Amino acid sequence: MKVNGTHYRSLWWDNDQSVLMIIDQRWLPHEFRIQPVETLEDYAAAIVEMRVRGAPLIGATAAYGMALAAQKDPSDEGLQQAWTLLNATRPTAINLRWALDRCLAALTPLPVADRAAAALQLAHDIADEDVEINRRIGEHGLTLIRDIASRKPAGEPVRLLTHCNAGWIATVDWGTATSPMYQAHDAGIPLHVWVDETRPRNQGALTSWELGSHGIAHSYITDNAGGHLMQHGQVDLVITGTDRTTRCGDVCNKIGTYLKALAAHDNGVPFYVALPSPTIDWTVSDGVAEIPIEDRAEREVSHVQGLLDDGTIGVTQVSPTGTACGNPAFDVTPSRLVTGLITERGICAASEDGLAQLFPDLAAR
Ligand code: MRU
């Protein structure tokens, strides 16, 4: 998508320098910083520190990490070591493991001399596929928004709510939850998006930055405001992303998503999840019991980062000194609270049957 009139992907390969370039998301929305990722350790740190973040983007980054590993040490041991290092970076988003497994499975049967070139091409393919998947999610999600718009008086906006950042910078391009919004806006449908702040890392600020850059009307709201807005008929549709969806349709996404689903259910507001197929974990059925939830640093809760009055970015403490903080980074929304899943192949029920009907080739494996 565009930043100040220039089209960017959230990562790209610099052919001249033979290096991956990323947008360092720790400084957004206040500063747009681009940086290279040069060593395998740097790849791992970029994912751990959330310089890159969002399930699909983590997967694509890891694929480029495997390409670097294949360049430095293409032996079976070298590739396995890289797999282990990168797989340990973040536990919840399944796209990471999906990309690493795909790379390992494609590379190890090849002669060692062919692996570096094949790994780089595979990383490019994974990135390009992500863009196409998200574009298609947008096309399918657009039908939901169009349908709501058709039942409103002309010119009245469709009011959406989203949580976290499932935008283009959480993917390679388009985003998952935002792709229907971008496509609806481009189709001339008036929108207004309620953007949850998403403490503690405030990914809502990233979503607001994205939507603002695309000209989509939105309001940045506190994480606790959504239920009130739904009670007062201010939300027509909720769309969130997902970091891992079980074969039965349970959805694991950023902490707080579950509460939004409960409020949506109580108020009869449709709650959809934008789901690229690499985010389905076909090995898992019960999301609450089986999906590992990342526990992040206390400091992310006790302190906040923001723009200071002098225009610099600073950090300040909000909790009393010495107070223990808890920071579970994701939660699971059971499938019974999910109205539907918006995938690249269409919209389906959040259920084993629904997913299997759209993805018979993947479900059967
Ligand atoms: O901790 P983050 O910022 O990586 O979490 C991101 C999310 O929870 C997104 O909603 C999810 O990855 C879907 S991104 C298309």
Side-chain angles (χ1 to χ4, degrees):
M1 304 299 284
K2 287 195 173 159
V3 179
N4 297 328
T6 303
H7 180 263
Y8 285 90
R9 284 183 173 187
S10 59
L11 50 61
W12 63 95
W13 186 253
D14 183 322
N15 275 319
D16 296 336
Q17 300 179 69
S18 268
V19 74
L20 182 72
M21 304 300 291
I22 60 166
I23 300 163
D24 185 345
Q25 300 192 21
R26 292 172 301 175
W27 306 104
L28 290 174
H30 307 300
E31 284 180 21
F32 185 71
R33 291 192 196 177
I34 292 167
Q35 63 169 224
V37 191
E38 284 169 316
T39 64
L40 200 53
E41 290 66 34
D42 204 18
Y43 271 88
I47 298 173
V48 169
E49 295 165 4
M50 294 171 64
R51 281 182 245 158
V52 288
R53 44 148 297 284
L57 181 57
I58 294 171
T61 305
Y64 280 102
M66 290 299 282
L68 179 74
Q71 203 187 2
K72 301 283 180 212
D73 177 2
S75 67
D76 286 1
E77 298 72 33
L79 294 179
Q80 185 58 56
Q81 274 171 16
W83 186 99
T84 303
L85 177 75
L86 293 167
N87 189 49
T89 51
R90 295 192 74 188
T92 302
I94 195 62
N95 306 60
L96 175 67
R97 171 119 196 213
W98 169 85
L100 291 170
D101 283 351
R102 183 169 164 188
C103 291
L104 210 55
L107 299 177
T108 45
L110 299 179
V112 171
D114 295 347
R115 291 179 180 177
L120 184 59
Q121 186 55 51
L122 181 53
H124 292 333
D125 291 348
I126 286 174
D128 289 346
E129 284 169 23
D130 181 68
V131 177
E132 181 57 13
I133 284 173
N134 298 327
R135 191 189 65 74
R136 289 196 203 163
I137 284 174
E139 283 182 353
H140 295 300
L142 171 58
T143 63
L144 296 174
I145 297 176
R146 211 188 274 289
D147 181 51
I148 294 169
S150 72
R151 287 183 266 116
K152 283 178 173 275
E156 201 171 286
V158 176
R159 294 154 308 174
L160 296 113
L161 183 142
T162 193
H163 190 71
C164 193
N165 172 262
W168 72 266
I169 56 169
T171 63
V172 178
D173 207 350
W174 284 107
T176 59
T178 56
S179 186
M181 300 176 198
Y182 290 133
Q183 297 197 34
H185 176 83
D186 293 349
I189 300 172
L191 303 179
H192 178 272
V193 185
W194 301 109
V195 181
D196 286 352
E197 179 183 32
T198 320
R199 275 279 283 151
R201 290 290 293 237
N202 298 351
Q203 285 92 336
L206 308 181
T207 304
S208 291
W209 173 75
E210 281 194 23
L211 295 176
S213 301
H214 203 78
I216 298 180
H218 63 280
S219 303
Y220 183 62
I221 56 173
T222 61
D223 288 324
N224 296 323
H228 164 82
L229 293 169
M230 291 182 211
Q231 276 178 331
H232 289 268
Q234 298 292 305
V235 182
D236 300 310
L237 173 65
V238 179
I239 309 180
T240 73
T242 167
D243 288 82
R244 191 186 300 217
T245 293
T246 70
R247 64 180 298 120
C248 297
D250 292 347
V251 171
C252 182
N253 191 50
K254 181 53 56 191
I255 191 78
T257 303
Y258 171 49
L259 289 177
K260 293 302 139 64
L262 283 173
H265 189 255
D266 195 44
N267 290 284
V269 175
F271 184 95
Y272 281 86
V273 173
L275 169 66
S277 58
T279 309
I280 305 168
D281 185 345
W282 296 99
T283 70
V284 161
S285 301
D286 180 338
V288 174
E290 297 178 80
I291 297 178
I293 301 296
E294 181 177 17
D295 206 16
R296 290 189 62 88
E298 290 187 40
R299 189 176 164 85
E300 291 187 346
V301 178
S302 60
H303 291 67
V304 288
Q305 173 177 294
L307 196 62
L308 305 179
D309 286 345
D310 66 3
T312 61
I313 292 176
V315 173
T316 190
Q317 181 180 320
V318 287
S319 64
T321 301
T323 297
C325 300
N327 192 8
F330 299 92
D331 61 25
V332 172
T333 299
S335 59
R336 67 186 160 81
L337 298 175
V338 180
T339 311
L341 301 169
I342 311 169
T343 80
E344 70 268 27
R345 293 193 190 169
I347 299 175
C348 69
S351 67
E352 188 156 20
D353 279 355
L355 282 168
Q357 271 170 27
L358 279 187
F359 298 97
D361 44 334
L362 303 178
R365 275 190 206 158

